[in-house]
Amino acid sequence: MRYKAGHKDETHQRILDIAGKLFRKNGIASVGLASIMKDAGLTNGAFYAHFDSKETLVKEVLGDILDQRDLQIVEGLKNGASLKQFIYDYLSPFHRDHCESGCPTSAFISELIHHSKSTRTLFTEKTVRIFDRIEQQIQGENSYRANLAISIFSLMVGALQLSRAVTDKIVSEKILKAASETAISLISTMSDEDAAVN
Amino acid sequence: MRYKAGHKDETHQRILDIAGKLFRKNGIASVGLASIMKDAGLTNGAFYAHFDSKETLVKEVLGDILDQRDLQIVEGLKNGASLKQFIYDYLSPFHRDHCESGCPTSAFISELIHHSKSTRTLFTEKTVRIFDRIEQQIQGENSYRANLAISIFSLMVGALQLSRAVTDKIVSEKILKAASETAISLISTMSDEDAAVN
DNA sequence: TGTACATCAGTGAACGCGCGTTCACTGATGTAC
DNA sequence: TGTACATCAGTGAACGCGCGTTCACTGATGTAC
């Protein structure tokens, strides 16, 4: 073999990583395969030795990133990180200013609607898993934990996107702060008796 | 004049309406000017008699839609519609299934980040106005009304997008229901004393 | 009144460009005999 | 051991296509004299 064992797998993963960053930074539609391959130190044609089509790449990138992020969450929880910390990190100025290494859902969810059913089904599974991870971290035993988990993730996704879209830095900070506080209040005040009120 | 008075204005508005629907349905980047002009019953070249560039169109469309929607909210409130009703309508299966006539924020917010500062500044102003409209409809006089308004809108935007992206209808309905219930609980339980807890 | 010209919304072909995709080819290595 | 062939990751030019944009032109009307 011209290349050492595992070389192709390494290249494959490098393409995934670079595409993941570019897709999150610039959107899926506006990133060409040529620019991905150039960043990976390869030429146009080599792409099809690794993926059937751009759509295949999109699906694989999405799965890869969401799995990586899930692993981070699980590791974090093992090491004692709280749901509160997850919320603060998600709604931090750093996350807002670094799309390329952040949550893909916030980065290009409105583009996902225009992708293949297969890609969206993968997204559905990974998203349900996030809902479950959050739900497991909510204190108490009321039946609203599932609803709360969904709402907290929705709130974070919407707020992060809004904070990124506005041009006014003060408004942007306000959005992050408001959403953090509301999310935290949702997990801390929603004990059994409060939930029963709703 | 070959055309009756006001003809050009009518054509201009028709282009805006058609572009607004297409952008919300398919995303801004993936809708070509040719398809917009064809739907408007015109040819390619006529576009530049109405707009300087695609970016100008995007900005004008965004302003037009957000003003139309704001007018609807104001009219609705005059006729006794409640914030609750606004939330239910926003998080309804109908809104989820009809991007083309719905909220542009949910339709293409993650694309907005890649547009001109001028377009995003317009978006910022209109979004702050929505925050204010919601805030004014929240009962009570506590200092958290502004935060709640921001959070409720963020929650709705995130939830609607997630409900559109997932392929599983049951998950989609769950998201809409969870977000509705949480949003409603936020405006009804957050009286002065509850807010003080946070 | 008739004629020449100005106006202007819209036409439609063409521009350069980047896109996703294809494909004949390269060249270093491993394998067979 | 030497030679012929197979393997395969990657090359790089080319494909048709649709994009945003430009521009010389059309043709019905209004205006000037």
Side-chain angles (χ1 to χ4, degrees):
Chain A
M1 288 265 190
R2 185 180 169 192
Y3 304 95
K4 59 184 172 185
H7 171 87
K8 196 177 183 183
D9 289 346
E10 276 173 30
T11 303
H12 191 92
Q13 188 60 46
R14 197 168 69 248
I15 297 172
L16 285 181
D17 291 342
I18 287 164
K21 279 192 200 306
L22 288 174
F23 286 163
R24 281 179 282 184
K25 195 181 175 202
N26 304 316
I28 298 169
S30 59
V31 172
L33 298 183
S35 71
I36 295 168
M37 295 310 282
K38 202 186 169 191
D39 277 20
L42 297 164
T43 51
N44 263 2
F47 178 83
Y48 293 89
H50 290 277
F51 305 94
D52 286 344
S53 64
K54 189 183 184 182
E55 187 60 33
T56 310
L57 171 69
V58 170
K59 186 180 173 185
E60 219 171 297
V61 163
L62 191 63
D64 189 53
I65 297 175
L66 289 171
D67 281 348
Q68 272 178 239
R69 291 185 63 83
D70 188 61
L71 211 70
Q72 279 170 25
I73 292 174
V74 173
E75 288 295 313
L77 293 175
K78 258 191 213 159
N79 299 333
S82 62
L83 178 53
K84 259 190 193 180
Q85 195 55 52
F86 175 65
I87 292 168
Y88 283 132
D89 288 346
Y90 200 101
L91 293 169
S92 66
F94 182 88
H95 191 190
R96 176 196 63 197
D97 299 335
H98 294 83
C99 296
E100 75 281 356
S101 60
C103 174
T105 305
S106 287
F108 50 65
I109 184 171
S110 61
E111 275 193 88
L112 268 188
I113 310 169
H114 314 300
H115 282 86
S116 75
K117 181 149 194 191
S118 160
T119 302
R120 290 171 57 210
T121 297
L122 179 81
F123 173 77
T124 306
E125 286 161 14
K126 308 292 183 186
T127 299
V128 168
R129 188 176 60 185
I130 295 175
F131 289 163
D132 289 343
R133 297 269 188 239
I134 296 174
E135 184 182 346
Q136 284 159 26
Q137 293 304 308
I138 298 177
Q139 310 285 333
E141 283 297 330
N142 69 67
S143 59
Y144 292 90
R145 281 165 61 227
N147 278 6
L148 270 183
I150 292 172
S151 298
I152 285 167
F153 189 65
S154 300
L155 169 59
M156 293 196 300
V157 168
L160 189 64
Q161 288 184 103
L162 283 165
S163 79
R164 282 172 175 166
V166 297
T167 47
D168 186 323
K169 279 283 162 199
I170 296 169
V171 173
S172 179
E173 302 282 339
K174 258 194 198 168
I175 294 168
L176 292 179
K177 223 175 159 218
S180 296
E181 287 179 12
T182 301
I184 299 292
S185 84
L186 279 172
I187 56 170
S188 49
T189 67
M190 285 284 167
S191 58
D192 283 8
E193 65 252 352
D194 286 6
V197 177
N198 312 323
Chain B
M1 287 267 190
R2 186 180 169 192
Y3 304 94
K4 59 185 171 186
H7 171 88
K8 196 177 182 184
D9 290 345
E10 277 174 29
T11 303
H12 191 91
Q13 188 59 46
R14 196 167 71 248
I15 297 172
L16 286 181
D17 290 343
I18 288 164
K21 279 192 200 307
L22 288 174
F23 286 163
R24 281 178 282 185
K25 196 181 175 202
N26 304 316
I28 297 170
S30 59
V31 172
L33 297 183
S35 70
I36 294 168
M37 296 310 280
K38 203 186 169 191
D39 277 20
L42 297 164
T43 51
N44 262 3
F47 178 83
Y48 293 88
H50 290 277
F51 305 94
D52 286 343
S53 64
K54 189 183 183 183
E55 186 60 32
T56 310
L57 171 69
V58 170
K59 186 181 172 185
E60 219 171 298
V61 163
L62 191 64
D64 189 54
I65 297 175
L66 289 171
D67 282 348
Q68 273 177 237
R69 291 185 63 82
D70 188 61
L71 211 70
Q72 280 170 22
I73 292 174
V74 173
E75 288 294 313
L77 293 175
K78 257 192 214 158
N79 299 333
S82 62
L83 178 54
K84 260 190 191 180
Q85 194 56 50
F86 175 66
I87 292 169
Y88 283 132
D89 287 347
Y90 199 102
L91 294 168
S92 66
F94 182 87
H95 191 190
R96 175 196 62 198
D97 298 336
H98 294 83
C99 295
E100 74 282 356
S101 60
C103 174
T105 304
S106 287
F108 48 68
I109 184 171
S110 61
E111 275 192 87
L112 268 188
I113 309 167
H114 314 300
H115 282 87
S116 75
K117 180 147 193 191
S118 159
T119 302
R120 291 170 58 209
T121 298
L122 180 81
F123 173 76
T124 306
E125 288 160 13
K126 308 292 183 187
T127 299
V128 168
R129 188 174 60 185
I130 295 175
F131 290 162
D132 290 343
R133 299 270 188 238
I134 296 174
E135 185 182 346
Q136 284 159 27
Q137 293 303 309
I138 297 176
Q139 310 284 332
E141 284 297 330
N142 70 67
S143 59
Y144 292 90
R145 282 165 60 227
N147 277 5
L148 271 183
I150 292 172
S151 298
I152 286 167
F153 189 64
S154 299
L155 170 59
M156 294 197 298
V157 168
L160 189 64
Q161 289 184 98
L162 283 164
S163 78
R164 282 172 175 166
V166 297
T167 46
D168 185 324
K169 278 284 163 197
I170 295 170
V171 173
S172 179
E173 302 281 339
K174 256 194 198 168
I175 294 168
L176 291 179
K177 225 177 156 214
S180 296
E181 287 178 13
T182 302
I184 299 292
S185 85
L186 279 171
I187 56 170
S188 49
T189 67
M190 283 286 166
S191 59
D192 284 9
E193 65 250 352
D194 286 7
V197 176
N198 312 321

